[in-house]
Amino acid sequence: MMADSKPRLRPVIAIDGPAGAGKSTLAAYLARRFGFLNLETGAMYRAFALKALQNSAPLDDEAELMELAGSTRIVLQPQQREGNRVLLDGTDVTRRIRDKDVAEAASRVSVHGRVRAWMVGLQRALGAEGGVVMEGRDIGTKVFPDAEVKIFLDAEDVVRSQRRFFQNVASAEASASVGPSQAEVLAGMRERDARDRERASSPLHPARDAVHLDSSSLTLEEVCSQAEALVRSKIAGG
Ligand code: DC
């Protein structure tokens, strides 16, 4: 049960799954279609990981990380078009948190139970009134186990790493830099997947009542339209 069991006025749509499955795109689409706020919880772990890197905090020291958490303020600002603007202690870190060192650090800070408990509290407060599409790894299992709609979006790791690789190529072209190779992206993704799935605290797994969508051989349009139909079927009058 939720700690705060006040009834919500509007639904929560939970989208979970591994990196590169298309969660962010799907979440942004559903948020637009239903007029909901789109909240990327991975960005919160990334912002905290950046804070840890900036402060040279050991990523495996839970007590030290929690001390740092006490002086950390993370704000997610849902945007009209896609994604969230992310503020860390008042500074815009939206771009910086997408870098490889931050992704790696986020995967490491998110294994700690107390870090997760802190994040879950923030996330429940953000979604307390409903009317949100929240995406992450544990939304349907832990953050909002009573979410009205739960989607577990998956895809084969080779497909997910290809998508990430092409996203990286596009952003590297924009910044005239050189990104990691396709094999490096796949290796990094497998390592983070394993950490997400095998950690003791809230490992990545589908909620019992989640609807599975596999995007390996679907187009983006197909994923979005299947998910939209599902949401309409679950939310009366949606
Ligand atoms: O979705 P993402 O790649 O931005 O997530 C960054 C890291 O945060 C990833 O290693 C998994 C972790 N994460 C998590 O443990 N729980 C969430 N709800 C969201 C992300």
Side-chain angles (χ1 to χ4, degrees):
M1 280 305 287
M2 306 285 303
D4 174 2
S5 54
K6 265 190 288 172
R8 279 193 295 270
L9 298 176
R10 302 176 74 205
V12 168
I13 301 174
I15 302 180
D16 290 303
K23 297 189 302 291
S24 299
T25 308
L26 175 60
Y29 173 81
L30 292 177
R32 271 200 307 277
R33 295 298 286 174
F34 292 94
F36 287 9
L37 293 178
N38 170 21
L39 297 165
E40 292 179 68
T41 61
M44 300 172 75
Y45 287 96
R46 285 171 183 263
F48 181 56
L50 175 59
K51 173 100 172 208
L53 291 176
Q54 287 169 342
N55 286 270
S56 308
L59 304 177
D60 54 359
D61 187 334
E62 186 171 29
E64 198 160 321
L65 290 173
M66 286 314 293
E67 209 175 299
L68 200 57
S71 63
T72 301
R73 186 167 154 70
I74 296 167
V75 175
L76 290 187
Q77 297 179 333
Q79 301 296 289
Q80 280 287 335
R81 276 184 54 75
E82 195 160 319
N84 290 173
R85 184 164 173 251
V86 186
L87 303 181
L88 172 63
D89 300 327
T91 301
D92 189 333
V93 294
T94 311
R95 279 177 175 276
R96 174 69 179 99
I97 60 168
R98 296 294 147 196
D99 291 344
K100 190 166 168 267
D101 60 333
V102 180
E104 162 71 20
S107 164
R108 293 180 57 195
V109 299
S110 64
V111 302
H112 301 295
R114 288 173 62 206
V115 171
R116 302 199 67 81
W118 169 53
M119 289 284 173
V120 167
L122 297 175
Q123 292 156 6
R124 284 183 181 158
L126 286 174
E129 292 184 3
V132 296
V133 183
M134 195 172 277
E135 56 125 323
R137 304 292 191 287
D138 59 345
I139 311 306
T141 51
K142 181 83 183 175
V143 182
F144 285 106
D146 61 350
E148 284 74 6
V149 185
K150 297 184 188 178
I151 296 171
F152 193 84
L153 186 62
D154 208 345
E156 288 156 21
D157 59 8
V158 174
V159 174
R160 292 187 285 113
S161 70
Q162 272 169 358
R163 289 181 187 153
R164 213 20 81 82
F165 174 73
F166 288 115
Q167 280 170 357
N168 290 348
V169 168
S171 58
E173 272 170 9
S175 62
S177 59
V178 180
S181 71
Q182 201 159 334
E184 284 166 346
V185 174
L186 177 60
M189 189 170 263
R190 283 187 171 153
E191 193 181 312
R192 289 196 301 276
D193 276 358
R195 211 179 281 136
D196 285 353
R197 291 183 206 270
E198 288 160 18
R199 67 182 172 227
S201 178
S202 301
L204 171 66
H205 71 92
R208 225 186 283 262
D209 51 350
V211 174
H212 290 239
L213 280 179
D214 190 312
S215 70
S216 307
S217 54
L218 295 177
T219 64
L220 195 55
E221 286 75 22
E222 288 167 330
V223 170
C224 289
S225 70
Q226 287 188 17
E228 183 179 347
L230 171 73
V231 174
R232 289 196 190 283
S233 74
K234 298 254 181 192
I235 300 174

